[in-house]
Amino acid sequence: MNQSDFSPSQRIEATYRRSLKTVMKEIVKTIASLDITDPSAILAALREFANSRDLRQHSYAMASRMITGVYAENARTWREAARESMKGRQIYIALQRELQGPLGTRIQSLIDRNAELIKTFPLHISTQVSQYVNAEAMKGRRPAAIAADLVKQFPDVSESRINLIARTETSKAYTELTRARAENLGLEWYVWNTSDDARVRKAHRRLDGVLVSWSDPPSPEELEGINSTLGHYHAGSAPNCRCIAQPLLRLDQVQWPCQIYRNGAIEYTTWTRFKKTEGLQDAA
């Protein structure tokens, strides 16, 4: 299989990004109806919008569309994998039954998490607004001037966060569903694949092609001696990460000897040793 087979859909990410932008448009519309000479009125409006029933309903609908889209896309990828794997029949049966088991709960959890994230969007902007208002007030600027600046800055302030949320959450959801399906099939390992371009961060490039266990996520930054608060995570689960977790369906998917991440370090292992220590004879 090509490493792109288990990559998140750019179409789903783009659709999610457009949905998030509709929330921003509603925020701007709300602000435009206010007396912008009063920054405190902008803060109050943002907080009211964040707690509105309309935003709760809209957030849940947006999150549901994104997650169900990722779910369907991921299922198609697994069906393709089934045609190339000796576990083909097992994969097909698992896909038919999965919503009756833990995966259904995982999907609902993903929807709830993303809905909550969307609802915090105006609150995130509110926090930035508060910090900006306080800083500018300390300079002695007039409230009217501060408020006018805020209205101009809203689109720019939100654009980067919208892009971050769309890319990160789509990728994280895809990785989580891939993991859930892999674990349901008893597939403990995946190959960490980067997008193999100039934008790949140094810490992730170190893991390109490395076998990783779902039960033992690495800390890419720690492996490179980089200070970070990200901790341990799987491919595609860090902010703006474009890496792919490709389940190890067959032992001949990788070239042996192969690099493997285990207990905080990357080491080389042979086909024979890996089969023996991990009990993956059936995956060959």
Side-chain angles (χ1 to χ4, degrees):
M1 296 180 68
N2 297 322
Q3 70 176 51
S4 59
D5 289 344
F6 276 90
S7 60
S9 168
Q10 293 184 354
R11 174 184 56 81
I12 294 174
E13 179 186 327
T15 300
Y16 196 36
R17 185 183 298 111
R18 287 194 296 271
S19 296
L20 292 171
K21 287 182 177 180
T22 65
V23 175
M24 188 60 210
K25 288 179 181 178
E26 288 300 315
I27 294 175
V28 173
K29 185 187 299 183
T30 299
I31 301 307
S33 66
L34 301 173
D35 176 7
I36 64 170
T37 62
D38 183 6
S40 64
I42 296 178
L43 289 171
L46 284 171
R47 289 165 183 157
E48 181 179 354
F49 183 79
N51 295 317
S52 67
R53 179 181 178 185
D54 284 348
L55 181 60
R56 286 198 302 272
Q57 294 177 337
H58 193 41
S59 297
Y60 191 85
M62 289 165 56
S64 296
R65 284 195 296 271
M66 189 273 278
I67 297 301
T68 54
V70 171
Y71 168 82
E73 188 83 16
N74 190 261
R76 282 194 291 272
T77 301
W78 276 104
R79 284 194 290 271
E80 288 292 328
R83 286 195 280 270
E84 301 180 27
S85 171
M86 293 182 67
K87 288 181 175 286
R89 179 171 175 77
Q90 186 179 349
I91 292 174
Y92 280 122
I93 293 174
L95 288 173
Q96 293 172 353
R97 297 177 177 174
E98 62 187 11
L99 287 179
Q100 302 170 11
L103 189 59
T105 302
R106 186 79 64 95
I107 290 170
Q108 186 59 55
S109 176
L110 287 170
I111 292 173
D112 291 342
R113 186 186 75 195
N114 274 268
E116 286 299 318
L117 182 62
I118 296 168
K119 286 190 291 184
T120 65
F121 191 45
L123 292 177
H124 173 80
I125 296 176
S126 176
T127 299
Q128 292 184 308
V129 167
S130 295
Q131 294 171 346
Y132 183 78
V133 168
N134 291 334
E136 295 302 299
M138 290 291 289
K139 298 176 184 177
R141 295 190 65 202
R142 294 180 297 108
I146 297 174
D149 282 351
L150 290 174
V151 172
K152 293 178 182 178
Q153 290 178 13
F154 276 130
D156 292 335
V157 168
S158 66
E159 186 72 19
S160 60
R161 181 162 175 79
I162 284 173
N163 291 335
L164 174 65
I165 291 175
R167 170 168 293 168
T168 301
E169 293 305 314
T170 302
S171 180
K172 285 173 68 174
Y174 202 94
T175 294
E176 288 193 37
L177 290 177
T178 297
R179 176 180 182 175
R181 285 172 164 137
E183 291 180 335
N184 190 41
L185 290 162
L187 300 173
E188 173 63 20
W189 297 85
Y190 71 87
V191 183
W192 184 304
N193 285 314
T194 69
S195 53
D196 197 25
D197 58 31
R199 290 192 294 157
V200 175
R201 62 194 82 176
K202 180 181 178 182
H204 291 188
R205 190 175 295 114
R206 176 71 181 84
L207 281 160
D208 190 32
V210 174
L211 285 182
V212 177
S213 167
W214 290 113
S215 61
D216 184 20
S219 172
E221 289 72 23
E222 184 178 303
L223 287 169
E224 285 295 312
I226 300 172
N227 290 329
S228 173
T229 59
L230 292 176
H232 294 252
Y233 55 87
H234 289 295
S237 297
N240 269 330
C241 180
R242 297 172 298 136
C243 295
I244 301 162
Q246 183 178 359
L248 185 67
L249 300 172
R250 305 184 314 270
L251 291 181
D252 60 3
Q253 277 180 235
V254 295
Q255 293 185 343
W256 302 90
C258 178
Q259 286 187 305
I260 181 173
Y261 174 82
R262 197 198 312 268
N263 299 324
I266 296 175
E267 60 187 49
Y268 274 96
T269 189
T270 64
W271 173 314
T272 302
R273 181 184 176 192
F274 186 74
K275 288 175 64 178
K276 181 178 180 180
T277 58
E278 305 302 329
L280 292 180
Q281 289 89 342
D282 293 337

